[in-house]
Amino acid sequence: GNSVTQMEGPVTLSEEAFLTINCTYTATGYPSLFWYVQYPGEGLQLLLKATKADDKGSNKGFEATYRKETTSFHLEKGSVQVSDSAVYFCALSLQRGNTGKLIFGQGTTLQVKP
Amino acid sequence: GAVVSQHPSRVICKSGTSVKIECRSLDFQATTMFWYRQFPKQSLMLMATSNEGSKATYEQGVEKDKFLINHASLTLSTLTVTSAHPEDSSFYICSARSGTGGQPQHFGDGTRLSIL
């Protein structure tokens, strides 16, 4: 089946620390991969995406590389800020023969302290 | 670009009331819209998928008669929670997507529904 697994949170970091949130997936097809961020009381915002192997998605200092050999899409940021505190969701969507359903990981809460 | 507007952002109403939530894509045509439910500190649970002009496809365990979905145009989908009860209280989020395949979904800001 298709599934996404994220590292458990909460992840607590000091400002300017390096961030990694691990995400691995299983998929029967050839998925597109996404990271979404959810701030308290809000919906999800697309953070970045990658549609094929070795693609690197990047946005607002965050990066993730589509690794087919390790079926991973880990999220990284070199220097986090307090404003990055949120819940981060890794997700996949199958590209073919599919309505575009997103399969989400369980979410990882990031807390950044000043 | 790719803005999705969801309204209302918060609803508080009495048990037995029906509540309608609107989801609009403001700057693109949404061939597909999705409705999710999210419980506190949990991931999103897909409730149904709707394509413009077609009946919605509901996920297993979601009551069709309870959660009515209408996708009348390429920019508007509505979710009506009929005869709502306290157990229906939750955070409901819609998303919209243009095209097919690996296109990303764009999410609304959610609706906090509280049934007294």
Side-chain angles (χ1 to χ4, degrees), chain A residues 7-74:
Chain A
M7 63 188 289
E8 285 193 26
V11 174
T12 303
L13 297 172
S14 297
E15 207 165 20
E16 299 184 2
F18 185 87
L19 168 71
T20 299
I21 300 178
N22 289 340
C23 171
T24 57
Y25 67 90
T26 59
T28 52
Y30 195 21
S32 292
L33 302 173
F34 307 88
W35 276 100
Y36 284 88
V37 57
Q38 185 178 32
Y39 298 100
E42 298 184 10
L44 274 65
Q45 299 177 24
L46 177 65
L47 184 58
L48 52 86
K49 68 173 183 177
T51 57
K52 62 182 186 296
D54 300 325
D55 266 3
K56 177 185 283 188
S58 61
N59 185 26
K60 299 180 181 178
F62 291 90
E63 293 183 341
T65 301
Y66 190 145
R67 300 289 188 198
K68 188 179 179 183
E69 63 276 13
T70 55
T71 62
S72 65
F73 193 53
H74 304 322

Side-chain angles (χ1 to χ4, degrees), chain B residues 86-101:
Chain B
E87 60 267 27
D88 299 322
S89 298
S90 193
F91 192 54
Y92 293 87
I93 307 175
C94 74
S95 71
R97 190 190 65 152
S98 63
T100 58

